[in-house]
C-alpha cells in the first residue's frame, strides 16, 4: 500500500488546508526570558539552586546554550565549587562559551534578574513550557500514526504508549507522596516484654487462634489491671498513678475475638469463684447481723413510740437512735464480681460502688462506647469512665435511689471493637471534649483473615496451666490486702521516668510536635507507661510484688510497650479524624482525584463541593500545609512584582 502524503495546497483561503498546516510550523512554546531569569537567579543566589533542581533536570531549556550553562552550574555545585558567572565561564569549553555569547552573556543573565527569590516562579514557567513542547511533539507523532495506519498494526497500543509518555513527563521530578496517615506499617505487640509465663501464653494463644498477638497482648494488660486496679497504686516521681488501664483493640468481624477473650479471662472467673466461696460466710453473717439490727430497730422504735413518761421516752429515743445507727453500719456486702462484658453506665457505677471501688469491663465488642454515647439515656454520660480511669472520688445522687459514695473509683477496660466503631468515636464530640479518647490505649493490628494457618501449633499444657495459676495467685493475693499498696521505682528507674517526660514534652508543641494534634492522649502517655511498668512488675512478682521496687529493666520494657501504643494511637486518631487538618487534607485529596484537577486555587476549593467544610479561605491553610508536606501538592510561586 502506498503511504499517503500530505499535500500543500496553495490558495488564499485563511481557513484552508494551508492555514491548518501553518499551525504546525509555528515555533514551539518557549520563553527565553524565563530561562534567562532562572539561570541568573541561581547564579545570583546559590541558595535557590536546590529548589530549582527539584523542578528542572536541564532538558527543559529550549535554547541549547542555556542547557550548557545549567549543566555547568550543577556540575560545579556537586563538586562543592562556587558557580557565580566567572566560575561558570571558566568551567565551560572556550568554543562552547563563544557559542553561548561569551562571559559577558553570563553577567547579562544576572543583571536582568528582577528578583533572585523569583527563581522557582521562572523555573515553573520553563518546566511547563517544556511539557507543552512535549505535548506538541506527541501530537505530531499521533498525527503521523493516524496517517500511516494500515489496519493491521496495533494503533491503539501505539497511541496508548505515546500518551503514557505525556503522563510520565507531567509527573517528572515528583517524589512519591507520603500517605496521609500517621503510620503505614504499625509495629506488632511486643509480647516478649512480658514476663516469660505471660508472654509465652499470649504468643501461644495468638498462634492457636490465628489472631494478631496484639489482641492477646493488650488483653493481658487488661487482665493484670483487673487484678491490681484499686488494690495497688504506683508512685512515679512527684505524682501517683492507679494501676488500671483502658485498652481498645480494633479488629474486623471473623477474627475469633470471643475465643481469645474466653481463654484470657478464664483465670479471672476461676479466681472470682474462689472469692465468692470465701465471701459466703462473711455475707451470711452480715445478713444475720442485718436482720438482728432491723429487729432491734423495730423493737426500740415501738418502745419509744409507746413511752409516756418523758424520762422513759428520752431513754427509749436514745436506744432507737443507736439501733438505727447500728443498722446503717451493718451493710450486706455484695457477692464478689471482678468484671462484666456489658453494662449500662448506671449499672457500671453501682458495680463500682458495690465492689469497693474496683470493677472491669472485658468484652469482645465495643458496646460500652455506644452506651456511654447515650444509646439508652439519650445523652452522653462519661462521668464514671472519666473518674474510673483516674482513680478519683465519686459522689452520685439520683432521684428515687440511694446516694452512692466511692472513695477512689478504678475501672479497667479491655475492649475489642470493629473499625467502623472506631471511626464513629469522633462523631460523639463529648468523647474528645471530655477526654475519653485520650484515656484509651489503642491497638490497630492488621487482620490475619486470608492468611491463617488451619493447623496451628497447640499451646503446651504447662504454659496454659502456669498462666491460669499465676493470674489466679495474683488476683487472690492482691484481693487479700486490707489497704491499697503503693509501688515505688528504683532510683535509676525514676531517672528514666524523668528522661521520658523530657523527651515527650517537645512532641506536644503546636506546629512542630508529632503528637501536637493529640495532646489529650500524649499528655497521659508518661503516666500510662508508669502504670504498665507497675503491671509488668506485679506479673513478674505475682505473690509479693508490692514489697519490691520496680527496676529499670521493667520500666524499659514498659516504655517499649508505650512506644507500641503511641504508634497505634496515631493511627487510631487518624481513623477517628481527631486531627482536623489531616481529615480536611484527605477531603481535598479526594476532590483532586475525583475531579482530575492538576492545578487549583484557594478560590477553586471554596467554590467546590468542599465549601461546607471550609467557611473562609484561611480555613484551607492547615489542610494545604499537610498535603504539601506529604508531597501531594506543590504551591506555585507568585509572579514577581513588576
Amino acid at each position: 500500500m502506498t503511504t499517503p502524503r500530505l499535500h500543500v495546497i496553495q490558495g488564499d483561503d485563511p481557513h484552508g488546508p494551508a492555514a491548518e498546516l501553518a499551525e504546525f510550523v509555528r515555533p514551539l512554546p518557549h520563553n527565553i526570558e524565563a530561562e534567562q531569569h532562572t539561570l541568573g537567579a541561581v547564579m545570583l543566589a546559590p541558595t535557590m539552586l536546590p529548589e530549582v533542581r527539584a523542578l528542572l533536570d536541564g532538558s527543559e531549556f529550549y535554547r541549547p546554550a542555556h542547557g550548557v550553562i545549567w549543566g555547568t552550574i550543577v556540575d560545579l555545585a556537586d563538586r562543592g565549587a562556587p558557580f557565580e558567572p566567572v566560575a561558570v565561564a571558566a568551567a565551560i569549553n572556550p568554543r562552547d562559551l563563544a557559542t553561548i555569547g561569551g562571559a559577558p552573556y553570563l553577567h547579562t543573565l544576572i543583571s536582568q534578574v528582577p528578583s533572585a527569590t523569583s527563581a522557582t516562579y521562572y523555573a515553573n514557567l520553563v518546566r511547563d513550557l517544556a511539557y507543552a513542547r512535549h505535548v506538541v511533539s506527541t501530537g505530531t507523532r499521533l498525527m503521523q500514526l493516524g496517517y500511516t495506519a494500515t489496519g493491521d498494526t496495533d494503533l491503539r497500543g501505539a497511541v496508548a504508549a505515546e500518551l503514557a509518555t505525556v503522563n510520565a513527563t507531567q509527573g517528572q521530578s515528583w517524589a512519591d507522596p507520603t500517605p496521609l496517615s500517621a503510620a503505614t506499617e504499625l509495629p506488632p505487640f511486643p509480647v516478649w516484654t512480658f514476663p516469660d509465663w505471660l508472654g509465652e501464653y499470649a504468643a501461644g494463644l495468638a498462634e492457636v487462634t490465628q489472631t494478631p498477638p496484639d489482641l492477646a497482648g493488650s488483653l493481658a494488660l487488661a487482665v493484670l489491671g483487673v487484678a491490681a486496679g484499686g488494690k495497688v497504686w504506683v508512685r512515679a516521681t512527684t505524682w501517683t498513678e492507679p494501676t488500671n488501664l483502658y485498652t481498645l483493640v480494633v479488629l474486623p468481624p471473623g477474627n475469633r475475638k470471643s475465643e481469645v477473650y474466653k481463654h484470657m479471662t478464664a483465670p479471672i472467673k476461676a479466681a472470682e469463684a474462689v472469692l465468692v466461696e470465701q465471701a459466703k460466710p462473711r455475707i451470711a453473717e452480715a445478713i444475720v447481723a442485718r436482720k438482728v439490727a432491723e429487729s432491734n430497730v423495730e423493737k426500740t422504735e415501738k418502745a419509744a413510740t409507746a413511752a409516756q413518761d418523758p424520762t422513759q421516752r428520752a431513754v427509749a429515743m436514745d436506744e432507737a437512735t443507736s439501733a438505727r445507727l447500728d443498722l446503717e453500719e451493718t451493710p450486706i456486702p455484695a457477692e464478689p464480681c471482678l468484671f462484666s462484658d456489658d453494662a449500662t453506665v448506671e449499672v457500671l457505677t453501682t458495680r463500682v460502688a458495690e465492689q469497693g471501688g474496683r470493677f472491669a469491663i472485658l468484652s469482645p465488642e465495643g458496646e460500652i462506647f455506644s452506651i456511654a454515647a447515650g444509646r439508652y439515656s439519650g445523652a452522653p454520660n462519661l462521668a464514671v469512665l472519666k473518674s474510673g480511669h483516674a482513680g478519683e472520688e465519686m459522689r452520685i445522687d439520683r432521684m428515687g435511689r440511694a446516694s452512692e459514695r466511692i472513695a477512689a473509683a478504678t475501672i479497667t477496660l479491655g475492649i475489642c471493637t470493629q473499625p467502623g466503631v472506631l471511626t464513629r468515636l469522633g462523631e460523639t464530640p463529648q468523647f474528645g471534649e471530655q477526654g475519653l479518647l485520650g484515656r484509651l490505649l489503642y491497638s490497630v493490628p492488621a487482620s490475619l483473615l486470608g492468611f491463617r494457618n488451619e493447623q496451628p501449633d497447640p499451646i503446651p499444657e504447662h504454659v496454659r496451666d502456669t498462666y491460669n495459676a499465676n493470674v489466679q495467685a495474683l488476683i487472690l493475693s492482691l484481693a487479700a490486702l486490707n489497704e491499697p499498696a503503693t509501688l515505688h521505682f528504683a532510683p535509676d528507674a525514676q531517672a528514666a521516668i524523668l528522661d521520658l517526660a523530657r523527651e515527650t514534652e517537645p512532641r506536644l508543641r503546636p506546629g512542630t510536635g508529632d503528637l501536637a494534634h493529640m495532646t489529650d492522649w500524649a499528655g497521659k502517655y508518661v503516666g500510662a507507661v508508669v502504670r504498665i511498668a507497675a503491671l509488668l512488675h506485679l506479673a513478674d512478682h505475682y505473690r509479693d510484688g508490692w514489697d519490691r521496687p520496680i527496676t529499670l529493666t521493667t520500666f524499659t520494657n514498659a516504655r517499649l510497650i508505650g512506644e507500641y501504643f503511641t504508634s497505634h494511637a496515631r493511627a487510631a486518631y487518624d481513623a477517628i479524624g481527631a486531627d482536623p487538618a489531616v481529615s480536611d487534607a484527605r477531603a481535598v485529596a479526594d476532590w483532586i482525584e475525583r475531579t482530575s484537577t492538576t492545578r487549583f486555587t484557594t478560590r477553586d476549593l471554596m467554590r467546590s463541593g468542599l465549601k461546607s467544610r471550609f467557611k473562609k479561605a484561611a480555613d484551607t491553610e492547615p489542610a494545604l500545609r499537610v498535603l504539601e508536606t506529604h508531597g501531594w501538592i506543590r504551591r506555585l510561586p507568585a509572579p514577581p512584582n513588576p
Side-chain angles (χ1 to χ4, degrees):
M1 176 180 287
T2 305
T3 301
R5 295 179 180 274
L6 180 63
H7 296 278
V8 179
I9 302 176
Q10 301 292 334
D12 297 329
D13 183 1
H15 302 292
E20 294 179 2
L21 181 62
E23 291 295 314
F24 295 97
V25 297
R26 290 188 304 175
L28 291 173
H30 65 279
N31 187 327
I32 297 299
E33 190 176 65
E35 295 183 6
Q36 292 174 330
H37 291 341
T38 300
L39 296 171
V42 167
M43 289 189 289
L44 183 63
T47 56
M48 298 301 298
L49 180 60
E51 295 184 32
V52 175
R53 287 188 75 171
L55 298 169
L56 307 177
D57 62 15
S59 63
E60 297 86 356
F61 290 100
Y62 179 76
R63 185 180 177 188
H66 292 162
V68 173
I69 296 172
W70 173 261
T72 304
I73 290 173
V74 170
D75 182 61
L76 289 171
D78 288 343
R79 287 185 286 156
F83 43 88
E84 35 74 35
V86 174
V88 172
I92 297 177
N93 181 283
R95 182 177 299 177
D96 293 335
L97 184 61
T99 303
I100 290 171
Y105 182 70
L106 298 177
H107 289 279
T108 300
L109 295 179
I110 286 182
S111 64
Q112 292 179 347
V113 175
S115 170
T117 58
S118 301
T120 54
Y121 170 77
Y122 292 112
N124 271 292
L125 286 180
V126 172
R127 173 192 172 92
D128 290 345
L129 290 170
Y131 179 69
R133 293 195 297 273
H134 184 72
V135 171
V136 171
S137 61
T138 301
T140 302
R141 288 195 295 273
L142 289 173
M143 182 181 69
Q144 292 172 344
L145 286 173
Y147 277 117
T148 59
T150 61
D152 58 355
T153 59
D154 184 12
L155 179 59
R156 293 181 184 277
V159 170
E162 288 292 344
L163 293 177
T165 65
V166 175
N167 293 330
T169 303
Q170 188 175 17
Q172 183 180 1
S173 79
W174 278 67
D176 291 336
T178 304
L180 291 174
S181 59
T184 52
E185 293 185 8
L186 296 174
F189 191 96
V191 292
W192 51 268
T193 59
F194 287 158
D196 291 343
W197 65 269
L198 184 58
E200 288 176 4
Y201 184 74
L205 185 60
E207 169 63 22
V208 77
T209 58
Q210 288 295 286
T211 54
D214 313 62
L215 177 56
S218 297
L219 190 52
L221 289 174
V223 168
L224 296 176
V226 170
K231 286 293 185 178
V232 178
W233 295 68
V234 56
R235 180 74 177 174
T237 53
T238 59
W239 80 97
T240 303
E241 293 278 349
T243 52
N244 56 306
L245 297 173
Y246 286 5
T247 62
L248 175 65
V249 182
V250 182
L251 275 174
N255 273 277
R256 300 169 179 164
K257 302 184 289 290
S258 297
E259 188 72 7
V260 175
Y261 271 77
K262 180 179 71 175
H263 290 289
M264 292 296 295
T265 59
I268 303 179
K269 296 176 182 177
E272 185 180 82
V274 173
L275 292 174
V276 169
E277 285 298 317
Q278 292 176 350
K280 281 182 177 180
R282 186 173 69 255
I283 294 175
E285 182 181 352
I287 292 174
V288 172
R290 179 81 178 183
K291 287 183 177 180
V292 170
E294 289 173 347
S295 176
N296 193 33
V297 166
E298 184 178 0
K299 182 178 65 174
T300 55
E301 287 180 350
K302 284 182 179 180
T305 303
Q308 298 296 324
D309 182 75
T311 303
Q312 291 179 341
R313 182 180 296 174
V315 172
M317 286 290 293
D318 288 342
E319 291 176 349
T321 301
S322 297
R324 175 61 65 178
L325 291 174
D326 289 342
L327 176 62
E328 292 179 359
E329 294 175 0
T330 313
I332 299 175
E335 183 177 84
C337 182
L338 297 177
F339 78 100
S340 172
D341 60 2
D342 190 16
T344 64
V345 174
E346 290 75 16
V347 171
L348 175 59
T349 305
T350 298
R351 283 291 195 185
V352 174
E354 290 176 349
Q355 300 300 320
R358 55 198 301 261
F359 197 67
I361 298 292
L362 306 177
S363 173
E365 303 297 337
E367 294 298 317
I368 186 66
F369 297 116
S370 60
I371 294 172
R375 175 196 289 179
Y376 301 120
S377 64
N381 185 354
L382 310 181
V384 69
L385 293 178
K386 290 168 54 183
S387 297
H389 180 271
E392 295 174 339
E393 178 186 8
M394 291 192 67
R395 293 171 174 260
I396 305 98
D397 297 299
R398 303 190 186 97
M399 292 291 293
R401 294 182 59 181
S403 298
E404 293 171 324
R405 299 290 183 265
I406 306 172
T410 52
I411 297 174
T412 294
L413 295 184
I415 306 296
C416 194
T417 193
Q418 299 178 16
V421 176
L422 175 67
T423 58
R424 289 194 297 273
L425 288 181
E427 296 175 4
T428 303
Q430 290 84 350
F431 283 179
E433 294 168 359
Q434 298 188 31
L436 178 60
L437 298 181
R439 289 168 163 82
L440 300 173
L441 296 179
Y442 301 89
S443 174
V444 194
S447 171
L448 297 184
L449 289 175
F451 301 93
R452 296 183 294 191
N453 176 12
E454 293 307 319
Q455 292 183 318
D457 295 331
I459 302 176
E461 188 173 349
H462 74 277
V463 172
R464 181 188 298 108
D465 292 344
T466 301
Y467 169 75
N468 289 329
N470 289 356
V471 170
Q472 290 184 55
L474 180 61
I475 292 174
L476 296 176
S477 63
L478 292 178
L481 293 177
N482 293 323
E483 296 292 334
T486 300
L487 295 176
H488 297 272
F489 286 88
D492 53 355
Q494 278 202 336
I497 296 174
L498 291 174
D499 290 341
L500 177 60
R502 293 190 191 98
E503 294 171 17
T504 303
E505 195 63 25
R507 303 177 70 182
L508 313 182
R509 292 175 183 168
T512 59
D514 63 320
L515 303 178
H517 66 288
M518 48 188 289
T519 52
D520 56 335
W521 188 92
K524 297 178 177 63
Y525 171 61
V526 177
V529 174
V530 167
R531 296 188 189 198
I532 294 170
L535 294 177
L536 295 183
H537 173 80
L538 292 172
D540 209 16
H541 308 283
Y542 50 86
R543 293 189 187 276
D544 59 353
W546 53 90
D547 287 334
R548 300 166 177 260
I550 302 174
T551 65
L552 176 60
T553 299
T554 299
F555 180 79
T556 301
N557 286 333
R559 181 168 178 175
L560 292 173
I561 296 176
E563 291 172 358
Y564 161 86
F565 280 124
T566 301
S567 298
H568 285 249
R570 294 175 65 189
Y573 267 59
D574 185 47
I576 294 170
D579 185 352
V582 174
S583 179
D584 289 344
R586 270 208 201 85
V588 175
D590 290 343
W591 171 75
I592 291 172
E593 184 175 6
R594 186 175 64 255
T595 59
S596 300
T597 299
T598 57
R599 290 194 184 196
F600 65 91
T601 64
T602 302
R603 181 176 297 178
D604 295 331
L605 281 182
M606 301 300 294
R607 292 173 176 172
S608 70
L610 301 175
K611 58 185 178 181
S612 60
R613 180 180 288 266
F614 303 114
K615 303 302 181 184
K616 53 184 182 295
D619 295 341
T620 66
E621 183 59 28
L624 296 178
R625 193 184 308 119
V626 169
L627 290 173
E628 187 175 20
T629 57
H630 284 68
W632 290 89
I633 63 172
R634 276 196 186 127
R635 297 182 194 246
L636 291 175
N641 295 324

